[in-house]
Amino acid sequence: MPVTAGGRSTLVLFVTAVVLATTSAPACHAAHNITAILSGRRDLAEFSRELAATGLADDINGRNTITVLAVDDAHMAPLKARGLPRETLRHVLSLHVLVDYYDDAKLHRLPGGSADVSTLFQASGDAPGSAGMVKIAERRGGRVAFVPQDGAGDDAGSTTIFYVRSVHETPYNISVLQVSGVISSPEAEAPAAAADASRRNVSDVMSKNGCGRFAGLVTATGDAAATFEKKANDGGGSFTFFCPADKAVEAFQPTFNRLSADARLAVVLYHGAPGHYSMQALKAGDQDLRTMASLDGGKSDFDLAVHNVRDKVTLVSATHNVARVTRTLADEEAVAVYMIDAVLVPCNLTAQGAGGTEHGELSSGPDGRSGGKDGGGGHVTSGSRASAPTPCWLPREWLATSALLFTLLAAFASG
Protein backbone atom coordinates (compact mmCIF):
# COMPACT_ATOMS: atom_id res chain seq x y z
CA MET A 1 0.00 0.00 0.00
CA PRO A 2 1.53 3.37 -0.99
CA VAL A 3 2.22 5.83 1.77
CA THR A 4 0.44 9.16 1.32
CA ALA A 5 1.99 12.54 2.04
CA GLY A 6 -0.02 12.71 5.23
CA GLY A 7 1.19 9.26 6.21
CA ARG A 8 4.79 10.23 5.58
CA SER A 9 4.39 13.31 7.76
CA THR A 10 2.93 11.20 10.55
CA LEU A 11 5.78 8.72 10.23
CA VAL A 12 8.38 11.48 10.36
CA LEU A 13 6.77 13.01 13.43
CA PHE A 14 6.59 9.62 15.14
CA VAL A 15 10.25 8.79 14.48
CA THR A 16 11.27 12.28 15.58
CA ALA A 17 9.39 11.86 18.84
CA VAL A 18 11.02 8.48 19.47
CA VAL A 19 14.50 9.88 18.80
CA LEU A 20 13.94 12.86 21.05
CA ALA A 21 12.59 10.61 23.80
CA THR A 22 15.66 8.39 23.67
CA THR A 23 17.95 11.40 24.06
CA SER A 24 15.94 13.38 26.59
CA ALA A 25 17.48 11.66 29.63
CA PRO A 26 21.05 12.78 30.27
CA ALA A 27 23.64 10.08 29.70
CA CYS A 28 25.86 11.46 32.42
CA HIS A 29 25.04 12.20 36.00
CA ALA A 30 25.65 15.86 36.88
CA ALA A 31 26.70 15.72 40.53
CA HIS A 32 26.95 18.70 42.83
CA ASN A 33 30.28 20.43 43.43
CA ILE A 34 30.87 21.43 47.05
CA THR A 35 33.88 23.66 46.35
CA ALA A 36 31.91 25.54 43.69
CA ILE A 37 29.04 26.00 46.15
CA LEU A 38 31.40 27.37 48.81
CA SER A 39 33.26 29.62 46.38
CA GLY A 40 30.61 32.30 46.76
CA ARG A 41 31.48 32.73 50.43
CA ARG A 42 34.97 34.17 51.06
CA ASP A 43 34.64 33.58 54.80
CA LEU A 44 34.37 29.82 54.15
CA ALA A 45 37.46 29.64 51.94
CA GLU A 46 39.67 27.77 54.42
CA PHE A 47 37.00 25.16 55.09
CA SER A 48 36.63 24.64 51.33
CA ARG A 49 40.40 24.29 50.86
CA GLU A 50 40.68 21.67 53.58
CA LEU A 51 37.78 19.66 52.13
CA ALA A 52 39.69 19.50 48.86
CA ALA A 53 43.08 18.83 50.47
CA THR A 54 41.81 15.89 52.54
CA GLY A 55 39.82 14.35 49.67
CA LEU A 56 36.48 14.89 51.41
CA ALA A 57 35.25 17.14 48.60
CA ASP A 58 35.26 14.14 46.24
CA ASP A 59 33.38 11.99 48.76
CA ILE A 60 30.77 14.73 49.18
CA ASN A 61 30.37 15.19 45.44
CA GLY A 62 29.93 11.45 44.96
CA ARG A 63 26.88 11.20 47.26
CA ASN A 64 23.33 12.01 46.25
CA THR A 65 22.07 13.03 49.71
CA ILE A 66 24.37 15.01 51.99
CA THR A 67 24.52 17.89 54.47
CA VAL A 68 27.72 19.87 54.99
CA LEU A 69 28.23 21.85 58.20
CA ALA A 70 30.56 24.65 57.12
CA VAL A 71 32.87 26.57 59.46
CA ASP A 72 34.07 30.12 58.78
CA ASP A 73 37.74 31.08 58.54
CA ALA A 74 37.89 32.62 61.99
CA HIS A 75 36.86 29.37 63.67
CA MET A 76 38.97 27.22 61.30
CA ALA A 77 42.13 29.12 62.27
CA PRO A 78 42.69 27.38 65.65
CA LEU A 79 42.22 23.97 64.01
CA LYS A 80 44.71 24.79 61.28
CA ALA A 81 47.20 26.12 63.85
CA ARG A 82 47.28 22.73 65.56
CA GLY A 83 48.98 21.16 62.55
CA LEU A 84 47.05 17.88 62.72
CA PRO A 85 48.15 15.04 60.41
CA ARG A 86 46.20 14.92 57.17
CA GLU A 87 44.22 11.80 58.10
CA THR A 88 43.34 13.14 61.55
CA LEU A 89 42.15 16.39 59.99
CA ARG A 90 40.09 14.35 57.54
CA HIS A 91 38.38 12.56 60.45
CA VAL A 92 37.60 15.84 62.20
CA LEU A 93 36.14 17.38 59.05
CA SER A 94 34.20 14.16 58.36
CA LEU A 95 32.15 14.97 61.47
CA HIS A 96 30.89 17.99 59.55
CA VAL A 97 29.36 15.89 56.77
CA LEU A 98 25.99 14.32 57.59
CA VAL A 99 24.88 11.44 55.40
CA ASP A 100 21.30 12.71 55.33
CA TYR A 101 19.56 15.88 54.16
CA TYR A 102 18.85 18.66 56.65
CA ASP A 103 17.88 22.19 55.68
CA ASP A 104 16.71 25.16 57.72
CA ALA A 105 13.10 24.01 57.80
CA LYS A 106 13.94 20.41 58.75
CA LEU A 107 16.21 21.54 61.60
CA HIS A 108 13.24 23.24 63.23
CA ARG A 109 10.90 20.27 62.76
CA LEU A 110 12.89 17.52 64.46
CA PRO A 111 10.62 14.68 65.72
CA GLY A 112 10.78 14.84 69.49
CA GLY A 113 13.13 17.79 69.28
CA SER A 114 16.28 15.82 68.45
CA ALA A 115 17.84 13.38 65.98
CA ASP A 116 20.98 11.21 65.89
CA VAL A 117 22.64 11.42 62.49
CA SER A 118 25.53 9.47 60.96
CA THR A 119 28.49 11.35 59.52
CA LEU A 120 31.14 10.41 56.98
CA PHE A 121 33.47 9.65 59.89
CA GLN A 122 31.24 6.75 60.89
CA ALA A 123 30.49 5.78 57.29
CA SER A 124 34.24 5.44 56.63
CA GLY A 125 34.47 2.59 59.14
CA ASP A 126 37.22 4.37 61.08
CA ALA A 127 35.00 5.50 63.98
CA PRO A 128 34.72 3.12 66.97
CA GLY A 129 31.26 2.31 68.32
CA SER A 130 28.85 5.20 67.90
CA ALA A 131 31.64 7.74 67.51
CA GLY A 132 30.96 9.53 64.27
CA MET A 133 27.33 10.12 65.22
CA VAL A 134 26.16 13.70 65.79
CA LYS A 135 23.08 14.59 67.81
CA ILE A 136 20.98 17.47 66.47
CA ALA A 137 18.86 19.02 69.22
CA GLU A 138 16.65 22.06 69.66
CA ARG A 139 17.58 24.32 72.56
CA ARG A 140 15.95 27.28 74.25
CA GLY A 141 15.06 30.18 72.03
CA GLY A 142 14.81 27.95 68.97
CA ARG A 143 18.56 27.48 68.67
CA VAL A 144 19.73 24.22 67.07
CA ALA A 145 22.80 22.46 68.47
CA PHE A 146 25.13 19.83 66.98
CA VAL A 147 26.81 17.60 69.56
CA PRO A 148 29.30 14.81 68.65
CA GLN A 149 28.80 11.43 70.34
CA ASP A 150 31.67 9.47 71.88
CA GLY A 151 32.26 5.76 71.30
CA ALA A 152 29.64 4.81 73.90
CA GLY A 153 27.00 7.12 72.48
CA ASP A 154 27.44 9.70 75.25
CA ASP A 155 27.63 13.42 74.58
CA ALA A 156 28.74 14.37 78.10
CA GLY A 157 31.61 16.85 78.00
CA SER A 158 31.32 17.33 74.23
CA THR A 159 31.56 20.84 72.85
CA THR A 160 28.23 22.12 71.58
CA ILE A 161 28.20 23.82 68.19
CA PHE A 162 25.19 25.85 67.03
CA TYR A 163 23.49 26.38 63.70
CA VAL A 164 24.13 29.87 62.27
CA ARG A 165 22.52 30.12 58.85
CA SER A 166 21.75 28.26 55.62
CA VAL A 167 24.34 28.71 52.88
CA HIS A 168 22.89 26.54 50.12
CA GLU A 169 19.91 24.21 49.74
CA THR A 170 19.08 21.84 46.89
CA PRO A 171 16.16 19.94 48.43
CA TYR A 172 16.89 16.29 49.27
CA ASN A 173 20.21 16.46 47.42
CA ILE A 174 22.71 18.73 49.16
CA SER A 175 22.46 21.29 51.92
CA VAL A 176 25.25 23.51 53.26
CA LEU A 177 24.67 24.95 56.73
CA GLN A 178 27.04 27.28 58.54
CA VAL A 179 27.79 26.35 62.16
CA SER A 180 29.40 28.31 64.97
CA GLY A 181 32.62 26.31 65.31
CA VAL A 182 34.56 23.12 64.65
CA ILE A 183 32.92 19.84 65.69
CA SER A 184 35.45 17.39 67.09
CA SER A 185 35.82 14.39 69.37
CA PRO A 186 38.65 12.41 71.02
CA GLU A 187 37.97 9.51 68.65
CA ALA A 188 38.33 11.72 65.57
CA GLU A 189 41.59 13.16 66.84
CA ALA A 190 43.11 9.89 68.03
CA PRO A 191 46.66 9.61 66.60
CA ALA A 192 46.35 5.82 66.30
CA ALA A 193 43.49 6.20 63.87
CA ALA A 194 45.72 8.07 61.45
CA ALA A 195 48.52 5.53 61.70
CA ASP A 196 46.21 2.56 61.15
CA ALA A 197 44.38 4.22 58.28
CA SER A 198 47.54 4.51 56.17
CA ARG A 199 47.91 0.73 56.36
CA ARG A 200 44.28 0.01 55.61
CA ASN A 201 43.72 -3.29 53.86
CA VAL A 202 42.91 -2.41 50.26
CA SER A 203 40.83 -5.57 49.74
CA ASP A 204 38.58 -4.63 52.67
CA VAL A 205 38.07 -1.15 51.25
CA MET A 206 37.08 -2.60 47.87
CA SER A 207 34.82 -5.30 49.28
CA LYS A 208 32.85 -2.85 51.41
CA ASN A 209 32.38 -0.28 48.68
CA GLY A 210 31.02 -1.97 45.56
CA CYS A 211 34.24 -3.55 44.23
CA GLY A 212 33.89 -6.97 45.84
CA ARG A 213 34.19 -8.84 42.54
CA PHE A 214 37.53 -7.25 41.76
CA ALA A 215 38.70 -7.84 45.30
CA GLY A 216 37.96 -11.50 44.61
CA LEU A 217 40.09 -11.41 41.47
CA VAL A 218 42.96 -9.89 43.42
CA THR A 219 42.75 -12.68 45.98
CA ALA A 220 42.47 -15.47 43.41
CA THR A 221 45.03 -14.22 40.86
CA GLY A 222 48.60 -15.42 41.35
CA ASP A 223 50.73 -13.12 43.47
CA ALA A 224 48.48 -10.09 43.01
CA ALA A 225 47.35 -9.80 46.63
CA ALA A 226 50.87 -10.26 47.98
CA THR A 227 52.27 -7.72 45.53
CA PHE A 228 49.68 -5.08 46.37
CA GLU A 229 49.94 -5.71 50.10
CA LYS A 230 53.72 -5.52 50.05
CA LYS A 231 53.68 -2.25 48.16
CA ALA A 232 51.05 -0.73 50.47
CA ASN A 233 52.83 -1.81 53.65
CA ASP A 234 56.51 -1.35 52.82
CA GLY A 235 58.10 1.25 55.04
CA GLY A 236 57.16 4.65 53.67
CA GLY A 237 55.69 3.10 50.52
CA SER A 238 52.74 4.86 48.91
CA PHE A 239 50.22 3.39 46.53
CA THR A 240 47.22 4.30 44.33
CA PHE A 241 44.63 1.74 43.31
CA PHE A 242 41.83 1.94 40.71
CA CYS A 243 39.19 -0.73 41.35
CA PRO A 244 36.51 -1.48 38.74
CA ALA A 245 32.93 -1.58 40.02
CA ASP A 246 31.17 -4.94 40.29
CA LYS A 247 29.13 -4.44 37.08
CA ALA A 248 32.28 -3.74 35.07
CA VAL A 249 34.02 -6.86 36.38
CA GLU A 250 30.95 -9.00 35.73
CA ALA A 251 30.94 -7.90 32.08
CA PHE A 252 34.68 -8.56 31.70
CA GLN A 253 34.72 -11.89 33.57
CA PRO A 254 34.21 -14.19 30.51
CA THR A 255 37.25 -12.62 28.80
CA PHE A 256 39.29 -12.75 31.99
CA ASN A 257 38.52 -16.45 32.46
CA ARG A 258 40.05 -17.30 29.06
CA LEU A 259 43.39 -15.62 29.79
CA SER A 260 46.57 -17.36 30.87
CA ALA A 261 47.80 -16.99 34.44
CA ASP A 262 50.41 -14.39 33.42
CA ALA A 263 47.86 -12.40 31.45
CA ARG A 264 45.40 -12.42 34.35
CA LEU A 265 48.07 -11.17 36.72
CA ALA A 266 49.05 -8.39 34.31
CA VAL A 267 45.42 -7.22 34.02
CA VAL A 268 44.94 -7.13 37.78
CA LEU A 269 48.26 -5.39 38.51
CA TYR A 270 47.50 -2.82 35.81
CA HIS A 271 45.04 -1.25 38.26
CA GLY A 272 47.75 -0.32 40.78
CA ALA A 273 50.26 2.51 40.56
CA PRO A 274 53.23 3.14 42.89
CA GLY A 275 52.97 6.48 44.66
CA HIS A 276 50.08 8.33 46.29
CA TYR A 277 47.95 10.39 43.90
CA SER A 278 45.23 12.57 45.41
CA MET A 279 42.23 13.54 43.31
CA GLN A 280 43.75 17.00 42.88
CA ALA A 281 46.98 15.47 41.59
CA LEU A 282 45.07 13.31 39.11
CA LYS A 283 43.14 16.34 37.84
CA ALA A 284 46.28 18.46 37.48
CA GLY A 285 46.72 17.70 33.78
CA ASP A 286 47.51 15.02 31.22
CA GLN A 287 50.10 12.62 32.59
CA ASP A 288 51.28 9.01 32.51
CA LEU A 289 51.25 6.77 35.56
CA ARG A 290 53.57 3.79 35.79
CA THR A 291 51.52 0.77 36.85
CA MET A 292 52.59 -2.46 38.53
CA ALA A 293 51.76 -4.57 35.47
CA SER A 294 54.63 -6.13 33.56
CA LEU A 295 55.49 -9.09 31.33
CA ASP A 296 58.66 -10.90 30.32
CA GLY A 297 60.08 -10.87 33.81
CA GLY A 298 59.65 -7.14 34.16
CA LYS A 299 61.16 -6.20 30.79
CA SER A 300 57.84 -4.78 29.55
CA ASP A 301 56.09 -2.35 31.88
CA PHE A 302 52.77 -0.67 31.23
CA ASP A 303 51.72 2.92 31.80
CA LEU A 304 48.26 4.42 32.17
CA ALA A 305 47.32 7.80 30.69
CA VAL A 306 45.39 10.20 32.93
CA HIS A 307 43.22 12.98 31.51
CA ASN A 308 40.95 15.58 33.05
CA VAL A 309 37.76 15.52 30.94
CA ARG A 310 35.06 17.95 32.08
CA ASP A 311 36.55 17.92 35.58
CA LYS A 312 36.32 14.11 35.68
CA VAL A 313 39.42 11.95 35.96
CA THR A 314 39.53 9.68 32.92
CA LEU A 315 41.99 6.83 32.47
CA VAL A 316 43.09 5.58 29.05
CA SER A 317 44.88 2.24 28.81
CA ALA A 318 47.62 1.27 26.39
CA THR A 319 44.87 -0.36 24.30
CA HIS A 320 42.84 2.86 24.41
CA ASN A 321 40.00 1.50 26.51
CA VAL A 322 38.59 4.18 28.79
CA ALA A 323 37.57 4.15 32.46
CA ARG A 324 36.30 7.06 34.51
CA VAL A 325 36.85 7.59 38.22
CA THR A 326 33.38 7.62 39.78
CA ARG A 327 34.14 7.69 43.49
CA THR A 328 36.93 8.07 46.05
CA LEU A 329 36.92 5.05 48.37
CA ALA A 330 40.00 5.97 50.43
CA ASP A 331 42.54 8.76 50.31
CA GLU A 332 45.02 8.44 53.14
CA GLU A 333 48.52 9.83 53.54
CA ALA A 334 50.04 6.80 51.79
CA VAL A 335 47.20 4.98 50.03
CA ALA A 336 44.47 6.16 47.65
CA VAL A 337 41.71 3.91 46.30
CA TYR A 338 39.32 5.03 43.55
CA MET A 339 36.33 3.27 41.97
CA ILE A 340 36.27 3.22 38.15
CA ASP A 341 33.53 2.20 35.72
CA ALA A 342 35.47 -0.23 33.49
CA VAL A 343 38.23 -2.84 33.63
CA LEU A 344 41.51 -1.50 32.26
CA VAL A 345 43.38 -3.66 29.75
CA PRO A 346 47.18 -3.15 29.43
CA CYS A 347 47.51 -4.55 25.89
CA ASN A 348 45.69 -6.58 23.27
CA LEU A 349 44.01 -9.74 24.52
CA THR A 350 43.61 -12.79 22.30
CA ALA A 351 41.60 -15.89 23.11
CA GLN A 352 43.76 -18.56 21.48
CA GLY A 353 42.10 -21.38 23.32
CA ALA A 354 38.56 -22.66 23.10
CA GLY A 355 35.95 -24.12 25.32
CA GLY A 356 36.94 -21.99 28.31
CA THR A 357 40.47 -23.41 28.51
CA GLU A 358 43.15 -21.12 29.88
CA HIS A 359 45.14 -20.33 26.73
CA GLY A 360 44.34 -16.65 26.32
CA GLU A 361 47.48 -14.53 26.06
CA LEU A 362 48.53 -10.93 25.88
CA SER A 363 49.40 -10.33 22.25
CA SER A 364 52.82 -9.08 21.21
CA GLY A 365 53.66 -6.12 19.03
CA PRO A 366 55.47 -6.40 15.70
CA ASP A 367 58.85 -6.24 17.45
CA GLY A 368 58.02 -9.15 19.71
CA ARG A 369 57.34 -7.03 22.75
CA SER A 370 53.95 -6.85 24.40
CA GLY A 371 51.31 -4.91 22.50
CA GLY A 372 50.25 -1.30 22.88
CA LYS A 373 52.49 1.71 22.26
CA ASP A 374 56.10 1.16 23.16
CA GLY A 375 57.81 3.97 24.98
CA GLY A 376 61.28 2.48 24.31
CA GLY A 377 63.26 -0.24 25.99
CA GLY A 378 60.23 -2.45 26.42
CA HIS A 379 58.36 0.27 28.33
CA VAL A 380 54.78 0.25 27.09
CA THR A 381 52.88 3.47 27.47
CA SER A 382 49.59 4.98 26.43
CA GLY A 383 51.09 8.37 27.15
CA SER A 384 49.91 11.66 25.77
CA ARG A 385 49.73 9.93 22.39
CA ALA A 386 46.55 8.24 23.55
CA SER A 387 43.78 10.47 22.32
CA ALA A 388 41.60 12.03 24.99
CA PRO A 389 38.26 10.25 25.23
CA THR A 390 35.13 11.80 23.79
CA PRO A 391 32.76 13.10 26.49
CA CYS A 392 30.29 10.34 27.31
CA TRP A 393 27.24 12.19 26.10
CA LEU A 394 28.46 12.72 22.52
CA PRO A 395 28.18 9.24 20.93
CA ARG A 396 24.53 8.86 21.90
CA GLU A 397 23.59 12.31 20.59
CA TRP A 398 25.50 11.77 17.35
CA LEU A 399 23.66 8.51 16.78
CA ALA A 400 20.29 10.09 17.51
CA THR A 401 21.00 13.10 15.28
CA SER A 402 22.14 10.86 12.42
CA ALA A 403 18.97 8.78 12.73
CA LEU A 404 16.81 11.90 12.69
CA LEU A 405 18.54 13.39 9.62
CA PHE A 406 18.34 10.07 7.78
CA THR A 407 14.61 9.83 8.48
CA LEU A 408 13.94 13.36 7.27
CA LEU A 409 16.01 12.91 4.09
CA ALA A 410 14.24 9.65 3.32
CA ALA A 411 10.86 11.31 3.74
CA PHE A 412 11.75 14.20 1.42
CA ALA A 413 13.26 11.84 -1.18
CA SER A 414 10.09 9.73 -1.32
CA GLY A 415 7.70 12.66 -1.35
Side-chain angles (χ1 to χ4, degrees):
M1 178 183 296
V3 180
T4 64
R8 285 196 299 272
S9 299
T10 302
L11 177 62
V12 170
L13 289 174
F14 173 76
V15 173
T16 301
V18 170
V19 171
L20 291 176
T22 59
T23 59
S24 60
C28 300
H29 176 65
H32 40 254
N33 187 325
I34 184 59
T35 54
I37 292 172
L38 294 173
S39 64
R41 288 283 302 273
R42 293 184 179 180
D43 59 329
L44 302 177
E46 183 62 32
F47 182 77
S48 179
R49 280 193 293 269
E50 294 301 344
L51 289 183
T54 57
L56 279 175
D58 300 308
D59 289 348
I60 293 169
N61 295 341
R63 288 180 174 262
N64 293 325
T65 304
I66 209 82
T67 300
V68 179
L69 306 178
V71 182
D72 64 26
D73 290 352
H75 290 93
M76 282 290 293
L79 178 66
K80 184 178 181 181
R82 295 175 60 187
L84 297 176
R86 179 179 181 275
E87 189 59 27
T88 302
L89 180 60
R90 177 184 170 89
H91 287 169
V92 171
L93 294 180
S94 293
L95 287 172
H96 296 73
V97 185
L98 313 180
V99 292
D100 199 353
Y101 180 83
Y102 282 87
D103 55 19
D104 183 271
K106 189 174 179 180
L107 287 179
H108 294 94
R109 294 199 309 266
L110 298 173
S114 67
D116 292 328
V117 187
S118 294
T119 69
L120 278 186
F121 181 36
Q122 186 179 66
S124 69
D126 295 327
S130 61
M133 296 288 291
V134 167
K135 176 182 283 187
I136 309 176
E138 286 190 86
R139 298 293 173 85
R140 290 182 180 180
R143 302 182 73 189
V144 177
F146 297 89
V147 187
Q149 309 294 285
D150 65 18
D154 187 10
D155 60 3
S158 297
T159 302
T160 300
I161 302 301
F162 291 95
Y163 167 60
V164 176
R165 64 175 63 89
S166 175
V167 175
H168 175 89
E169 295 178 4
T170 301
Y172 309 108
N173 190 335
I174 183 171
S175 172
V176 180
L177 309 174
Q178 184 176 342
V179 293
S180 64
V182 173
I183 301 173
S184 190
S185 70
E187 291 78 12
E189 297 185 19
D196 292 342
S198 65
R199 299 292 181 260
R200 181 183 294 185
N201 186 287
V202 173
S203 294
D204 287 345
V205 172
M206 291 190 294
S207 298
K208 295 176 181 178
N209 292 279
C211 295
R213 286 179 179 270
F214 197 77
L217 293 186
V218 172
T219 301
T221 303
D223 298 325
T227 303
F228 285 136
E229 197 68 24
K230 181 178 185 299
K231 187 64 180 180
N233 289 282
D234 277 349
S238 56
F239 182 63
T240 299
F241 195 84
F242 303 100
C243 63
D246 286 341
K247 287 185 178 179
V249 176
E250 183 177 8
F252 186 75
Q253 190 77 52
T255 299
F256 187 83
N257 291 343
R258 292 193 295 270
L259 299 177
S260 68
D262 287 345
R264 290 181 185 181
L265 182 60
V267 169
V268 172
L269 293 181
Y270 194 48
H271 293 77
H276 172 266
Y277 292 88
S278 66
M279 182 59 70
Q280 287 68 40
L282 294 175
K283 288 182 177 180
D286 292 354
Q287 57 188 301
D288 290 338
L289 297 186
R290 173 73 63 86
T291 73
M292 297 183 69
S294 64
L295 289 174
D296 306 326
K299 295 179 180 179
S300 298
D301 297 321
F302 298 98
D303 279 4
L304 192 60
V306 182
H307 301 282
N308 186 341
V309 180
R310 291 175 166 260
D311 201 38
K312 296 290 185 182
V313 175
T314 303
L315 310 174
V316 184
S317 75
T319 57
H320 295 260
N321 78 298
V322 177
R324 295 172 180 83
V325 174
T326 58
R327 183 181 170 194
T328 300
L329 302 186
D331 189 2
E332 322 293 357
E333 293 185 5
V335 178
V337 183
Y338 302 100
M339 178 186 286
I340 57 177
D341 62 3
V343 175
L344 295 164
V345 179
C347 49
N348 294 328
L349 303 178
T350 58
Q352 299 175 352
T357 56
E358 299 184 4
H359 296 290
E361 301 291 344
L362 293 173
S363 65
S364 298
D367 58 357
R369 290 190 293 242
S370 296
K373 291 183 178 292
D374 196 330
H379 177 63
V380 182
T381 176
S382 56
S384 58
R385 293 183 294 261
S387 58
T390 304
C392 58
W393 49 269
L394 285 178
R396 188 177 181 182
E397 288 195 355
W398 284 354
L399 180 61
T401 302
S402 300
L404 177 58
L405 290 175
F406 179 80
T407 303
L408 293 174
L409 289 173
F412 280 119
S414 62

